[in-house]
Amino acid sequence: MSERTATVWVETDAPCEVRVVSREHGVDAAARTFTLHGHHYAIVDVDTLEPGSTVPYEVTLDGETVWPEPQSPFPPSLIRTMASEPDTLKIAFGSCRRSPDKANRHGLDALAAYGHALASGGERPDVLLMVGDQVYADELSDEMRAFIAQRRKAGQEPYDELADFEDYTYLYRLAWRDDPAVRWLLSTVPTYTVFDDHDIRDDWNTSYAWRQQMEATPWWRDRIIGGIGSYWIYQHLGNLAPEERAADPVYKAVLAAAEHGGDGAEILDEFADRADRDPASTRWSYAHDWGGTRLVVVDSRCSRLLTSERRGMLDDEEFRWLDEQCQGDRDHLLIASSLPYLLPRTIHNAENWNEAMAEGAWGKSGAWVGEKMRQAADLEHWAAFNASFRAVAEDVLAVARGERGAAPASISFLSGDIHYSYLARVTSPDTTSTISQIVCSPFRNQLLGTFRWANKIATVPGTAGAFRLLARLAKVAPPPLRWRITEGPWFDNAIATVQLSGRECRVRWRTPRTETELSELRDIQLTD
């Protein structure tokens, strides 16, 4: 989405020509499908739009109108472009969405309720940002299990998990195509994404030891190739501007294969294998500027630096890119990472200590225990990559002090992952910019039982001291920032909206009251 262009992504049942048409607005853009593992896709770039326009559209396949669907209860799908200098920017975001199932075990779906609310006249966002765990490849619904049972023998590894690209295509269908409200929502609101662990597998790239363990399994190579390849087609390509996508060598090769009637599966698989084995070969992170706002979306999963000698949340090349994106001379800087940068202090201190322990601060036996704890308790957020945490702090503080151009009014981290929502504010050191951590999670996957109580306790003031003492004993330096949770935690399924108007920043969380309605959790102004 930009001032004059929009991208429409389509999956079809057979090769064809896909057209996006709005006769009253003179829109007529087309693309041929390309094929990956027998599945057919098209990406249609519409580039004849006016800034700030709203254009209802239809989709035709070989001349036959297929969207909107006949008798659809939803309004026409719209393409809405940005104004040249938008007065207000609204970004809806969240994470962690289990596919709907008949048992409704994970509560009401905030994303589907949001779709219904917009269809009923609710105020639309300019952007929908989904910051991880869009699909769960290792926690399956009954419908997904039934599909796998048709393809694999009982007892065949991986047990109760996805195995390859074909499994992923069905998982994405359950997540996005088979829910009418979500399908309509994605057809009418510009959407950006970034993956987290469950898009591939729980604890994906937790540590070098974890990678070694997974490489030793006979089924992992097909799984990671299928997971990364499906992410590339179902999520990543939509994050790119048309000119960036056109320059993508993998996309160009797949289109070239399609021109000769070929299937680009081998091209995609080789790319996905290389992206996993050599993270520096691919950039999944991206940035967009809208008026006075810069949104930087950071891949904190696939681009990790994990060797026997070094570990980092980002590899060197990826961190150089992030450093370049963190600049002032804007009203607002948003940094989206699937993993919260500022955790509850108790958890932050625990992960600081665990990393030092796993790296040998308390000897070989302590390192073995630390690694077991890391994988068992999911201790692998930014705090568990302390060098990376501190490097990002240096960048953010430089921007907030006005050392990289005029300081923004606000610098906000947008994150999910942890299955509850909260707002944390940086209290020290003093800076010109307001620095905040905004977490919205889950869309639909509520935290229950022991895990909920443990995280509630972790957010209580005064519980951080014991782990801070352990971190000090492991010779971990205090963090360069101080922060505290000022709102939350809320364990409801939820969706948040960040609203930016001039130098003002507000955030609003809402939760499903019914399958089609949302109620407000909290509405907070972040800037003075």
Side-chain angles (χ1 to χ4, degrees):
M1 177 201 66
S2 68
E3 296 175 20
R4 295 185 178 275
T5 64
T7 298
V8 178
W9 183 99
V10 178
E11 182 176 4
T12 67
D13 292 333
C16 62
E17 180 187 64
V18 180
R19 302 191 82 89
V20 176
V21 180
S22 181
R23 294 175 180 83
E24 62 179 296
H25 290 83
V27 170
D28 189 353
R32 294 290 308 179
T33 57
F34 54 91
T35 303
L36 297 169
H37 288 282
H39 295 264
H40 312 288
Y41 309 92
I43 297 178
V44 183
D45 291 318
V46 184
D47 57 8
T48 58
L49 303 167
E50 293 297 322
S53 61
T54 300
V55 179
Y57 72 92
E58 298 178 354
V59 176
T60 69
L61 306 184
D62 285 341
E64 179 184 353
T65 300
V66 296
W67 187 268
E69 295 176 312
Q71 312 302 318
S72 171
F74 295 94
S77 296
L78 302 175
I79 295 172
R80 299 174 69 228
T81 58
M82 283 283 189
S84 299
E85 293 293 334
D87 296 328
T88 300
L89 178 68
K90 297 185 183 70
I91 300 177
F93 84 98
S95 76
C96 306
R97 181 172 178 267
R98 293 285 295 270
S99 298
D101 58 17
K102 295 177 182 178
N104 196 29
R105 288 170 289 189
H106 306 287
L108 297 173
D109 184 353
L111 197 63
Y114 191 56
H116 283 289
L118 298 189
S120 299
E123 190 173 10
R124 300 190 183 205
D126 298 292
V127 170
L128 171 63
L129 176 64
M130 298 196 286
V131 290
D133 294 343
Q134 278 69 258
V135 292
Y136 278 72
D138 53 351
E139 297 179 14
L140 306 183
S141 66
D142 293 339
E143 292 85 347
M144 191 67 226
R145 290 190 182 96
F147 176 80
I148 290 174
Q150 296 174 356
R151 300 190 64 229
R152 299 206 297 272
K153 296 178 181 178
Q156 182 178 345
E157 291 187 307
Y159 306 120
D160 206 34
E161 296 186 35
L162 270 59
D164 55 20
F165 184 90
E166 186 67 23
D167 283 351
Y168 268 100
T169 63
Y170 195 76
L171 183 63
Y172 278 106
R173 172 179 174 169
L174 291 175
W176 292 346
R177 176 179 166 182
D178 285 2
D179 188 310
V182 171
R183 192 180 187 191
W184 175 83
L185 176 66
L186 297 179
S187 79
T188 201
V189 176
T191 304
Y192 298 91
T193 67
V194 70
F195 44 20
D196 199 18
D197 56 343
H198 288 284
D199 293 86
I200 302 296
R201 193 176 197 264
D202 188 28
D203 298 342
W204 178 34
N205 283 347
T206 289
S207 63
Y208 176 67
W210 185 93
R211 284 184 64 90
Q212 289 182 306
Q213 292 165 16
M214 296 311 301
E215 287 289 349
T217 63
W219 52 268
W220 175 247
R221 190 47 37 193
D222 286 344
R223 166 66 166 278
I224 190 64
I225 288 173
I228 291 179
S230 62
Y231 174 79
W232 182 84
I233 180 60
Y234 283 91
Q235 298 195 52
H236 177 68
L237 287 181
N239 296 329
L240 305 178
E243 60 273 15
E244 293 173 323
R245 188 167 49 251
D248 184 288
V250 181
Y251 187 58
K252 289 195 289 187
V254 167
L255 292 183
E259 289 178 359
H260 297 89
D263 187 313
E266 185 175 347
I267 297 167
L268 182 64
D269 290 353
E270 289 177 355
F271 159 73
D273 187 41
R274 183 171 62 255
D276 175 62
R277 294 184 187 275
D278 180 14
S281 67
T282 304
R283 171 161 298 124
W284 304 103
S285 302
Y286 55 95
H288 293 292
D289 291 320
W290 297 302
T293 297
R294 167 164 288 187
L295 171 67
V296 182
V297 182
V298 182
D299 162 32
S300 53
R301 278 293 173 185
C302 197
S303 297
R304 292 184 178 184
L305 175 63
L306 299 171
T307 71
S308 57
E309 294 82 25
R310 294 179 64 201
R311 56 184 273 111
M313 183 64 82
L314 309 176
D315 61 44
D316 295 337
E317 179 60 31
E318 195 75 6
F319 187 79
R320 279 192 290 270
W321 177 87
L322 176 59
D323 178 73
E324 292 170 359
Q325 304 308 311
C326 291
Q327 301 295 329
D329 291 331
R330 289 168 176 80
D331 293 320
H332 305 280
L333 175 62
L334 306 176
I335 303 173
S337 164
S338 61
L339 303 172
Y341 178 70
L342 300 176
L343 287 163
R345 288 298 298 270
T346 301
I347 300 176
H348 180 94
N349 293 343
E351 295 198 8
N352 274 180
W353 164 65
N354 176 258
E355 180 191 31
M357 188 177 178
E359 293 299 301
W362 290 357
K364 290 184 179 180
S365 297
W368 183 86
V369 172
E371 180 60 36
K372 293 297 182 182
M373 290 174 61
R374 176 189 288 163
Q375 294 190 32
D378 292 350
L379 304 179
E380 39 88 38
H381 299 81
W382 284 92
F385 294 79
N386 194 36
S388 299
F389 179 91
R390 300 180 77 87
V392 170
E394 290 179 10
D395 278 354
V396 168
L397 289 174
V399 177
R401 290 169 176 150
E403 298 169 8
R404 299 187 177 186
S410 72
I411 301 174
S412 301
F413 292 93
L414 311 183
S415 305
D417 177 67
I418 56 176
H419 299 254
Y420 55 94
S421 302
Y422 63 86
L423 173 67
R425 298 176 186 258
V426 170
T427 58
S428 178
D430 290 334
T431 58
T432 302
S433 305
T434 297
I435 305 175
S436 305
Q437 170 73 70
I438 308 170
V439 177
C440 185
S441 171
F443 281 136
R444 184 179 185 272
N445 195 7
Q446 290 176 311
L447 196 64
L448 302 172
T450 303
F451 286 106
R452 175 181 287 205
W453 282 107
N455 280 277
K456 277 187 175 181
I457 293 170
T459 63
V460 174
T463 60
F467 284 108
R468 180 63 207 140
L469 176 60
L470 289 173
R472 286 178 180 173
L473 292 174
K475 299 182 179 180
V476 179
L481 303 169
R482 293 186 65 83
W483 66 94
R484 63 185 180 90
I485 293 177
T486 59
E487 305 289 340
W490 306 292
F491 291 85
D492 314 71
N493 290 338
I495 186 167
T497 302
V498 177
Q499 179 172 309
L500 307 162
S501 303
R503 303 280 287 179
E504 180 181 292
C505 176
R506 301 187 67 87
V507 59
R508 180 188 189 194
W509 288 265
R510 287 181 288 176
T511 186
R513 184 174 61 181
T514 68
E515 291 183 352
T516 60
E517 298 175 297
L518 295 166
S519 60
E520 190 166 295
L521 278 172
R522 198 62 56 93
D523 187 342
I524 303 294
Q525 182 162 321
L526 298 185
T527 51
D528 296 332

